[in-house]
Amino acid sequence: MKKILICNQKMYLTKDEAMNLSYGYDEIDFSNVELIVCPNYLNFEYFEDYKLGAQNCFYEDKGSYTGEVSPYDLHLRGIKYAILGHSERRMYDTNEIINLKVKACVRNSIIPIICVGESKIEKELLKTSSVLKKQITTALSGVDLTDDYPVLIAYEPVYKIGSSSPLSKEEIEDTFKYIKKILDDMKIPNYKLLYGGSVKGENVKHILSDEIDGYLVGASCINASELNTIIKCIK
């Protein structure tokens, strides 16, 4: 089965930079991965040849919500995925808000990419398990899922995002076993587990594992050469 590769371009790229990057993407052979590109909203058009995801969305379809982006409108525009609960947004979104956004995505046939992960302090206080359980169970509470509707869970330890190195493969696998137990206990029928947090061409080969269904890549995805290195390692 192909690994999932999610490219979270964040707010790195201007219009011209996104256009130039799209040309670089066109030179890469993505046939061995399931690629999902998440540009900022203004740059969707430059990556329309790929599966597209949003970096966030609101929990209502329409209304007087200045500055928000409708999941219904994303659906109408052919957006198939949405990143929810990324650590860079959790200062604004509570677990309960993320739950509303997950429900909004499912309501609009958008596959949620739910980010979870502990902070450095939480890890030092041995709270990783309780933090992950709270984030996952709240995000998926009351969400009506069928066997053919996948949920993507991206584990990103907050202290590793943008750092020089990811967790070890063994640490990731141990954490994934715990996440799987949570999801199985909740009877979530269809899910994939991704890892994010300092995924780079120089280290991805050290965290390849059958337990990891894919990777959420940040800064490395805005450099076509770096992304190509990651792709070749995943092969």
Side-chain angles (χ1 to χ4, degrees):
M1 185 175 294
K2 292 182 179 181
K3 299 291 186 182
I4 300 167
L5 187 69
I6 300 173
C7 293
N8 178 16
Q9 297 178 359
K10 306 190 180 186
M11 202 180 71
Y12 286 124
L13 303 173
T14 65
K15 171 185 175 181
D16 290 342
E17 289 167 341
M19 186 185 303
N20 287 334
L21 181 61
S22 71
Y23 299 146
Y25 275 27
D26 291 343
E27 298 299 317
I28 299 175
D29 179 8
F30 291 111
S31 61
N32 66 303
V33 298
E34 182 180 348
L35 180 70
I36 302 165
V37 183
C38 299
N40 70 50
Y41 301 115
L42 298 175
N43 291 336
F44 279 144
E45 62 181 292
Y46 304 116
F47 300 92
E48 58 188 10
D49 291 336
Y50 303 95
K51 289 183 181 179
L52 288 174
Q55 295 178 17
N56 186 37
C57 71
F58 197 53
Y59 53 78
E60 295 288 355
D61 293 350
K62 289 187 177 183
S64 53
Y65 304 105
T66 302
E68 298 292 353
V69 173
S70 160
Y72 175 66
D73 192 32
L74 290 172
H75 167 71
L76 291 179
R77 294 169 185 266
I79 307 304
K80 302 296 185 184
Y81 300 84
I83 299 174
L84 305 175
H86 192 281
S87 64
E88 293 163 2
R89 288 213 50 87
R90 280 187 178 266
M91 67 180 72
Y92 312 110
D93 295 349
T94 63
N95 287 320
E96 290 72 23
I97 292 295
I98 294 167
N99 174 246
L100 292 175
K101 291 184 175 185
V102 172
K103 290 176 178 176
C105 282
V106 173
R107 183 173 68 242
N108 286 286
S109 300
I110 295 173
I111 296 172
I113 303 165
I114 304 171
C115 297
V116 299
E118 79 280 26
S119 67
K120 184 176 182 180
I121 292 176
E122 290 167 336
K123 181 176 179 61
E124 291 172 348
L125 293 175
L126 305 179
K127 291 185 176 182
T128 296
S129 295
S130 61
V131 168
L132 294 180
K133 186 171 184 178
K134 178 68 173 177
Q135 290 175 342
I136 294 169
T137 56
T138 306
L140 292 172
S141 176
V143 180
D144 186 19
L145 296 168
T146 60
D147 290 348
D148 59 354
Y149 197 95
V151 170
L152 307 184
I153 304 292
Y155 172 54
E156 290 193 299
V158 177
Y159 54 96
K160 287 295 184 179
I161 297 174
S163 73
S164 59
S165 63
L167 292 181
S168 70
K169 180 174 69 173
E170 291 72 25
E171 288 177 298
I172 298 170
E173 290 177 340
D174 285 345
T175 304
F176 275 24
K177 289 177 183 177
Y178 178 68
I179 293 175
K180 285 181 178 180
K181 184 179 186 308
I182 295 171
L183 295 168
D184 291 342
D185 287 347
M186 293 184 71
K187 294 181 169 52
I188 302 301
N190 188 356
Y191 60 83
K192 301 291 184 183
L193 302 186
L194 316 177
Y195 176 76
S198 191
V199 177
K200 302 175 183 177
E202 65 191 33
N203 60 41
V204 68
K205 61 180 175 292
H206 301 300
I207 54 174
L208 294 177
S209 167
D210 291 338
E211 301 298 320
I212 301 174
D213 297 314
Y215 300 88
L216 175 55
V217 180
S220 295
C221 78
I222 64 167
N223 181 306
S225 177
E226 174 77 2
L227 183 60
N228 193 33
T229 299
I230 292 173
I231 296 293
K232 290 179 178 179
C233 287
I234 292 176
K235 286 182 179 180

